[in-house]
Amino acid sequence: MIILTELPYPPSVNDSLAVFRGRMIKTAKARAYKEQCHIFTAKNITALNQATTQIKSWLDQGLGIKVDCYFSLPEEKILTAGKKAIHRFKKSDVSNRVKLCHDALSDMLRIDDLYFIAGNAEKVIGPMGVTVYVTPHKLQSLDEVKTQWIRKTE
């Protein structure tokens, strides 16, 4: 297992591209995020190189990569003071941040994200940032997945 902590918090996909004169361009938020990722890479180059070596060994064994992303935010950015559970969550859609996180991770590790075949995206309470767990993962058939879910629910 590879654990990468304190990765930069990505902007939403909705905030990363804009149309200018009929062309899609990266926004200032997306460019700033990319710069933060370059700084993270420079500071953590040894650990990232070790992670890349480990991942390549998994790929050589015919395995894919599972990437679990935990998007950490302070409690006040996730929950409101409301008492009803349905109204307690503030708007913060982590699924809109996964693509940018995967793209950045792919650049940092120099591994094409086509090998990221499984994963999880979850909001958690904590200091703002992203923690990523990378593990080897065997590509499964749909029948294997269905069988696993049936066993979990029994």
Side-chain angles (χ1 to χ4, degrees):
M1 175 185 296
I2 297 164
I3 303 170
L4 300 172
T5 61
E6 300 178 13
L7 276 75
Y9 199 88
S12 168
V13 170
N14 301 334
D15 292 334
S16 66
L17 295 172
V19 177
F20 180 72
R21 295 184 181 167
R23 295 179 58 200
M24 295 294 282
I25 62 166
K26 288 185 179 179
T27 64
K29 286 182 181 180
R31 291 190 304 273
Y33 174 65
K34 189 166 186 155
E35 180 59 27
Q36 291 170 348
C37 290
H38 284 243
I39 293 167
F40 178 88
T41 300
K43 287 181 179 177
N44 298 282
I45 193 68
T46 302
L48 291 168
N49 285 340
Q50 291 171 346
T52 299
T53 300
Q54 179 64 60
I55 291 168
K56 285 183 178 180
S57 76
W58 296 337
L59 296 176
D60 288 344
Q61 296 171 46
L63 298 168
I65 306 302
K66 181 178 180 187
V67 179
D68 293 318
C69 302
Y70 295 88
F71 296 90
S72 179
L73 289 166
E75 187 171 0
E76 63 273 10
K77 296 247 184 200
I78 297 175
L79 300 173
T80 65
K83 295 188 186 211
K84 291 186 179 180
I86 196 162
H87 300 292
R88 267 197 55 111
F89 292 97
K90 290 185 177 180
K91 187 175 181 179
S92 175
D93 188 354
V94 296
S95 64
N96 283 340
R97 300 176 194 281
V98 172
K99 175 66 177 146
L100 291 173
C101 186
H102 280 189
D103 288 348
L105 191 60
S106 177
D107 288 345
M108 290 175 196
L109 296 169
R110 299 172 320 281
I111 300 283
D112 194 323
D113 62 358
L114 70 86
Y115 297 109
F116 299 174
I117 62 171
N120 179 44
E122 190 171 329
K123 262 184 250 189
V124 294
I125 296 170
M128 190 165 186
V130 180
T131 298
V132 174
Y133 293 82
V134 181
T135 53
H137 191 77
K138 177 183 167 276
L139 186 61
Q140 299 178 69
S141 71
L142 182 58
D143 288 338
E144 289 173 308
V145 173
K146 286 178 183 177
T147 301
Q148 289 172 6
W149 275 103
I150 290 168
R151 286 184 190 142
K152 285 181 183 179
T153 57
E154 290 178 341

